[in-house]
Amino acid sequence: MSRGSGGYDRHITIFSPEGRLFQVEYAFKAVKAAGITSIGVRGKDSVCVVTQKKVPDKLLDQTSVTHLFPITKYLGLLATGMTADARTLVQQARNEAAEFRFKYGYEMPIDVLAKWIADKSQVYTQHAYMRPLGVVAMVLGIDDEFGPRLYKCDPAGHFFGHKATSAGLKEQEAINFLEKKMKNDPSFTYEETVQTAISALQSVLQEDFKANEIEVGVVRQESPVFRVLSTEEIDEHLTAISERD
Amino acid sequence: MGDSQYSFSLTTFSPSGKLVQIEHALTAVGSGQTSLGIKAANGVVIATEKKLPSILVDEASVRKIQLLTPNIGVVYSGMGPDFRVLVRKSRKQAEQYHRLYKEPIPVTQLVRETAAVMQEFTQSGGVRPFGVSLLVAGFDDKGPQLYQVDPSGSYFSWKASAMGKNVSNAKTFLEKRYTEDMELDDAVHTAILTLKEGFEGQISGKNIEIGIIGTDKKFRVLSPAEIDDYLGEVE
């Protein structure tokens, strides 16, 4: 039986004979190829995301290397994967959130943002003229009704709410680690949330970080703005973790 | 739709006269999680497995059964993101019908329009077919109705149907158990038993979803607690 797709199923997003979309699967591989691992954890009244900060060249301005982006004052996005794709996604998301606020008179809720990102990704999996983005986006925020929320959107257009999750190179190892920690549905305080996220990253990558080697972003119910932690704050948490162990 | 560079259809005839992209889309549906629907004498029930990739996923954030109008619900097997697109388009079509005719859209019309959208994507330039099959359950003036829509855009009315991984066992089971004068409650029990047949692991209110519509013409998704009650009755 000849291969009916003419061999194009690997180049554009049409179905393979097994019913798979190779371009989408390759997009997932591109996310891993960036070599970064990210972790997100949702606590009782806060959400924390952590990612590696790899500055490949000492001459680079460190402050310009970031994967954490505020979308609005209240919503943050952690992009794992291809940086250029991440920036374009962030730009569009910021525009969409601003228009939402203008049109409807209230802040874009986090699940609406996550759904919008996921729906946009779905369009790229169905239309041949644009490839899927090589980015997994973790969005975090405090929802008015449901409290702290963490969503993960991937190149296939899937999105789920998560109690904790991971993306990037060591995604599966991190998820295994987090599943053990969250098995009994714990209710983490802010400090526990941040420390679980950081120690998960340290354990999975098997290295102890310095404050300038990781980026940490948080939202807390008591002050629901998205904030990137400073190196001093990260240091405090790192010290607390090493004293605890 | 699509860029002018891709103003040719990606779904073209093979020498044997088949549209292979549609067949591949059906394969994608066949590897999706099992879902099924049963039309009773006084209502319709649709149900699906809800197997999540990890215990870390927030189960309440996932809704596989969706409302298209207050009296029409839909479930799918196949690719979740494609399903969301179809739900959005169908809801808009239902609203446009209502705006024009000041009447709720009949089930057959909504199914026909949704199927037309799915067919468009098998013929338009630069796009691939949807990787989902839908089960649409509704109750209007013509009574309870259940329709299945395939990626090709063809649709049929069913007394009971199943789709996804376990389709052949599920359909055999349904053929044995279906009776014309079934009541809605019996149909829910039968739906649960059918899902249980091919279910890997422990079935509970958290890893299946059930939607029902009765003579009150209000489609609703059962809560995990209600599903657990039905599961208890079935044991």
Side-chain angles (χ1 to χ4, degrees), chain A residues 209-231:
Chain A
F209 292 117
K210 294 205 271 293
N212 62 355
E213 291 173 344
I214 56 174
E215 285 187 280
V216 183
V218 297
V219 278
R220 302 179 64 169
Q221 199 136 23
E222 53 181 46
S223 89
V225 288
F226 172 71
R227 232 169 38 86
V228 177
L229 296 187
S230 64
T231 31

Side-chain angles (χ1 to χ4, degrees), chain A residues 16-159:
Chain A
S16 78
E18 302 83 38
R20 293 157 65 180
L21 293 172
F22 281 116
Q23 274 294 300
V24 175
E25 296 183 16
Y26 296 161
F28 277 97
K29 291 206 181 134
V31 172
K32 287 204 188 295
I36 305 262
T37 306
S38 314
I39 302 218
V41 178
R42 182 183 88 190
K44 192 175 54 185
D45 53 16
S46 59
V47 188
C48 173
V49 290
V50 173
T51 185
Q52 290 172 267
K53 187 164 175 161
K54 276 198 187 161
V55 186
D57 195 330
K58 275 200 252 229
L59 294 172
L60 274 174
D61 181 354
Q62 279 195 345
T63 56
S64 72
V65 178
T66 176
H67 293 89
L68 270 176
F69 305 94
I71 303 297
T72 67
K73 214 164 73 163
Y74 308 100
L75 300 178
L77 189 152
L78 171 59
T80 313
M82 297 167 65
T83 341
D85 286 6
R87 284 185 193 273
T88 173
L89 178 66
V90 164
Q91 197 58 24
Q92 291 172 2
R94 284 174 174 165
N95 189 51
E96 196 61 28
E99 272 186 20
F100 187 101
R101 172 66 186 79
F102 176 71
K103 264 203 284 192
Y104 302 110
Y106 70 101
E107 289 293 332
M108 192 179 211
I110 181 168
D111 58 323
V112 174
L113 176 65
K115 187 154 192 270
W116 181 83
I117 294 176
D119 284 347
K120 205 146 219 288
S121 308
Q122 191 280 342
V123 171
Y124 301 146
T125 73
Q126 197 167 22
H127 292 251
Y129 65 100
M130 290 200 80
R131 61 163 174 83
L133 293 177
V135 178
V136 166
M138 276 194 236
V139 277
L140 61 159
I142 307 287
D143 185 277
D144 283 338
E145 281 179 82
F146 301 113
R149 278 281 169 272
L150 171 68
Y151 284 89
K152 185 168 81 167
C153 317
D154 63 27
H158 287 117
F159 81 105

Side-chain angles (χ1 to χ4, degrees), chain B residues 84-133:
Chain B
R84 287 204 310 269
V85 173
L86 286 170
V87 165
R88 171 174 277 149
K89 288 194 198 272
S90 302
R91 283 174 175 164
K92 193 163 183 189
Q93 282 162 337
E95 255 321 292
Q96 285 171 340
Y97 183 98
H98 188 272
R99 193 168 57 140
L100 186 52
Y101 299 107
K102 294 283 183 279
E103 250 190 26
I105 188 170
V107 183
T108 43
Q109 306 261 43
L110 186 56
V111 169
R112 178 149 37 93
E113 294 191 14
T114 307
V117 168
M118 292 172 83
Q119 190 282 339
E120 268 172 41
F121 277 73
T122 67
Q123 204 177 9
S124 302
V127 291
R128 60 161 174 82
F130 285 97
V132 286
S133 278

